[in-house]
Amino acid sequence: AGDFIGYIALLGNHPYQITTKALEPCEIKLIPKLAFFELIKSSTAFSLEVIRVLAKHNNQKAEQMMQLAYNSLRKRVAQALLLLKKKFSEEGQEDFYIEITREELANISGTTTESLIRTLSDFKNEELIHIKGRSIRIIDPSRLKALPN
Protein backbone atom coordinates (compact mmCIF):
# COMPACT_ATOMS: atom_id res chain seq x y z
CA ALA A 1 0.00 0.00 0.00
CA GLY A 2 1.17 3.48 -0.81
CA ASP A 3 3.89 2.49 -3.27
CA PHE A 4 4.60 4.79 -6.20
CA ILE A 5 5.75 3.47 -9.55
CA GLY A 6 6.98 5.29 -12.62
CA TYR A 7 7.81 8.57 -10.89
CA ILE A 8 11.57 8.32 -11.58
CA ALA A 9 10.92 7.99 -15.32
CA LEU A 10 8.35 10.78 -15.15
CA LEU A 11 10.74 13.16 -13.40
CA GLY A 12 13.60 12.14 -15.71
CA ASN A 13 11.39 12.57 -18.79
CA HIS A 14 12.17 9.11 -20.16
CA PRO A 15 10.07 5.99 -20.79
CA TYR A 16 9.32 3.67 -17.89
CA GLN A 17 11.34 0.52 -18.67
CA ILE A 18 10.26 -1.84 -15.89
CA THR A 19 7.19 -4.05 -15.67
CA THR A 20 5.24 -4.22 -12.46
CA LYS A 21 3.07 -7.02 -11.20
CA ALA A 22 0.63 -6.90 -8.29
CA LEU A 23 1.14 -9.80 -5.90
CA GLU A 24 -2.20 -9.21 -4.19
CA PRO A 25 -5.45 -7.44 -5.08
CA CYS A 26 -4.92 -3.69 -5.23
CA GLU A 27 -6.32 -0.40 -6.38
CA ILE A 28 -4.17 1.63 -8.73
CA LYS A 29 -4.49 5.39 -9.10
CA LEU A 30 -3.06 7.15 -12.12
CA ILE A 31 -1.87 10.72 -11.78
CA PRO A 32 -1.70 12.35 -15.21
CA LYS A 33 1.67 13.88 -16.06
CA LEU A 34 0.36 17.44 -16.33
CA ALA A 35 -1.52 17.18 -13.03
CA PHE A 36 1.61 15.79 -11.34
CA PHE A 37 3.76 18.71 -12.48
CA GLU A 38 1.05 21.23 -11.60
CA LEU A 39 0.99 19.81 -8.08
CA ILE A 40 4.77 20.15 -7.84
CA LYS A 41 4.55 23.78 -8.95
CA SER A 42 1.63 24.73 -6.74
CA SER A 43 2.13 22.72 -3.55
CA THR A 44 5.21 22.99 -1.38
CA ALA A 45 3.92 20.11 0.77
CA PHE A 46 3.53 17.85 -2.27
CA SER A 47 6.98 18.86 -3.59
CA LEU A 48 8.56 18.03 -0.24
CA GLU A 49 6.79 14.65 -0.22
CA VAL A 50 8.16 13.90 -3.72
CA ILE A 51 11.65 14.81 -2.50
CA ARG A 52 11.19 12.53 0.56
CA VAL A 53 10.08 9.63 -1.69
CA LEU A 54 13.08 10.23 -4.00
CA ALA A 55 15.48 10.27 -1.04
CA LYS A 56 13.99 7.02 0.29
CA HIS A 57 14.28 5.44 -3.17
CA ASN A 58 17.91 6.57 -3.43
CA ASN A 59 18.74 5.10 0.00
CA GLN A 60 17.06 1.79 -0.90
CA LYS A 61 19.04 1.56 -4.14
CA ALA A 62 22.30 2.31 -2.34
CA GLU A 63 21.48 -0.42 0.21
CA GLN A 64 20.66 -2.88 -2.59
CA MET A 65 23.99 -2.16 -4.30
CA MET A 66 25.85 -2.76 -1.04
CA GLN A 67 24.01 -6.05 -0.55
CA LEU A 68 24.76 -7.18 -4.10
CA ALA A 69 28.41 -6.27 -3.69
CA TYR A 70 29.05 -7.74 -0.25
CA ASN A 71 26.40 -10.31 0.66
CA SER A 72 26.56 -13.96 -0.28
CA LEU A 73 23.92 -15.50 -2.51
CA ARG A 74 22.35 -17.29 0.47
CA LYS A 75 22.15 -14.04 2.43
CA ARG A 76 20.59 -12.14 -0.52
CA VAL A 77 17.93 -14.82 -1.06
CA ALA A 78 17.16 -14.90 2.66
CA GLN A 79 16.90 -11.10 2.73
CA ALA A 80 14.58 -11.12 -0.29
CA LEU A 81 12.27 -13.63 1.42
CA LEU A 82 12.29 -11.60 4.63
CA LEU A 83 11.61 -8.39 2.69
CA LEU A 84 8.57 -10.00 1.07
CA LYS A 85 7.40 -11.20 4.48
CA LYS A 86 7.79 -7.73 5.94
CA LYS A 87 5.97 -6.10 3.04
CA PHE A 88 3.10 -8.54 2.58
CA SER A 89 2.39 -10.18 5.94
CA GLU A 90 -0.20 -8.94 8.38
CA GLU A 91 1.07 -7.47 11.66
CA GLY A 92 1.89 -10.28 14.07
CA GLN A 93 1.37 -12.96 11.40
CA GLU A 94 3.82 -15.77 12.07
CA ASP A 95 2.86 -18.21 9.31
CA PHE A 96 3.79 -16.44 6.06
CA TYR A 97 3.71 -17.78 2.54
CA ILE A 98 3.85 -16.11 -0.83
CA GLU A 99 3.09 -17.19 -4.39
CA ILE A 100 5.92 -15.92 -6.56
CA THR A 101 7.72 -17.21 -9.63
CA ARG A 102 11.34 -18.23 -9.30
CA GLU A 103 12.27 -15.65 -11.93
CA GLU A 104 10.60 -12.85 -9.94
CA LEU A 105 12.35 -13.93 -6.74
CA ALA A 106 15.67 -14.23 -8.57
CA ASN A 107 15.27 -10.65 -9.82
CA ILE A 108 14.56 -9.41 -6.30
CA SER A 109 17.59 -11.34 -5.01
CA GLY A 110 19.91 -10.16 -7.77
CA THR A 111 20.78 -13.63 -9.02
CA THR A 112 20.00 -16.07 -11.81
CA THR A 113 16.94 -18.30 -11.67
CA GLU A 114 19.13 -21.41 -11.59
CA SER A 115 21.17 -20.17 -8.62
CA LEU A 116 18.00 -19.15 -6.80
CA ILE A 117 16.45 -22.61 -7.30
CA ARG A 118 19.56 -24.29 -5.84
CA THR A 119 19.52 -21.93 -2.86
CA LEU A 120 15.80 -22.48 -2.24
CA SER A 121 16.42 -26.22 -2.34
CA ASP A 122 19.17 -25.82 0.27
CA PHE A 123 16.83 -23.70 2.43
CA LYS A 124 14.15 -26.36 2.12
CA ASN A 125 16.59 -29.13 3.15
CA GLU A 126 17.65 -26.98 6.13
CA GLU A 127 13.96 -26.59 7.06
CA LEU A 128 14.06 -22.81 6.74
CA ILE A 129 11.26 -22.78 4.16
CA HIS A 130 8.63 -25.10 2.73
CA ILE A 131 7.93 -25.16 -1.02
CA LYS A 132 4.78 -26.32 -2.74
CA GLY A 133 4.54 -25.36 -6.41
CA ARG A 134 5.06 -21.60 -6.67
CA SER A 135 4.20 -21.13 -3.01
CA ILE A 136 7.02 -20.54 -0.53
CA ARG A 137 6.30 -20.62 3.19
CA ILE A 138 8.87 -19.23 5.59
CA ILE A 139 9.23 -21.70 8.45
CA ASP A 140 12.03 -20.10 10.46
CA PRO A 141 12.44 -16.35 9.84
CA SER A 142 14.86 -15.92 12.74
CA ARG A 143 17.29 -18.46 11.27
CA LEU A 144 16.96 -16.87 7.82
CA LYS A 145 17.77 -13.48 9.33
CA ALA A 146 20.77 -14.89 11.20
CA LEU A 147 22.40 -16.55 8.18
CA PRO A 148 26.07 -15.62 8.00
CA ASN A 149 27.36 -13.61 5.11
Side-chain angles (χ1 to χ4, degrees):
D3 282 351
F4 295 96
I5 56 173
Y7 61 94
I8 301 288
L10 180 66
L11 290 168
N13 198 28
H14 55 81
Y16 187 64
Q17 299 290 330
I18 302 169
T19 59
T20 303
K21 179 180 177 182
L23 297 177
E24 58 188 20
C26 63
E27 183 178 326
I28 298 171
K29 304 238 180 194
L30 175 68
I31 302 173
K33 183 177 183 176
L34 292 176
F36 180 80
F37 285 115
E38 278 303 314
L39 270 171
I40 286 180
K41 288 179 193 174
S42 65
S43 171
T44 304
F46 182 76
S47 296
L48 288 172
E49 183 63 17
V50 169
I51 290 169
R52 187 191 67 73
V53 168
L54 285 169
K56 181 179 176 184
H57 173 83
N58 189 47
N59 287 341
Q60 288 172 337
K61 292 301 175 190
E63 179 65 28
Q64 284 177 341
M65 292 199 52
M66 291 293 288
Q67 289 175 5
L68 283 172
Y70 296 111
N71 287 350
S72 67
L73 172 62
R74 286 174 53 86
K75 186 74 170 179
R76 290 196 322 264
V77 173
Q79 287 175 328
L81 290 169
L82 293 170
L83 172 73
L84 292 169
K85 181 182 186 309
K86 180 180 178 184
K87 188 163 185 78
F88 294 108
S89 67
E90 303 289 327
E91 179 135 356
Q93 176 186 359
E94 284 301 314
D95 193 27
F96 174 75
Y97 72 93
I98 189 163
E99 297 252 343
I100 189 168
T101 68
R102 300 305 178 255
E103 183 179 13
E104 291 164 341
L105 188 54
N107 289 336
I108 294 169
S109 304
T111 189
T112 64
T113 305
E114 295 78 15
S115 295
L116 174 91
I117 290 168
R118 283 191 300 275
T119 304
L120 290 177
S121 179
D122 290 346
F123 286 179
K124 181 181 176 183
N125 292 337
E126 295 166 34
E127 298 182 348
L128 298 169
I129 63 172
H130 176 74
I131 300 172
K132 184 174 184 178
R134 285 182 27 177
S135 179
I136 300 172
R137 182 169 62 97
I138 297 176
I139 297 171
D140 197 338
S142 59
R143 280 183 48 218
L144 275 176
K145 188 175 185 176
L147 283 176
N149 196 10

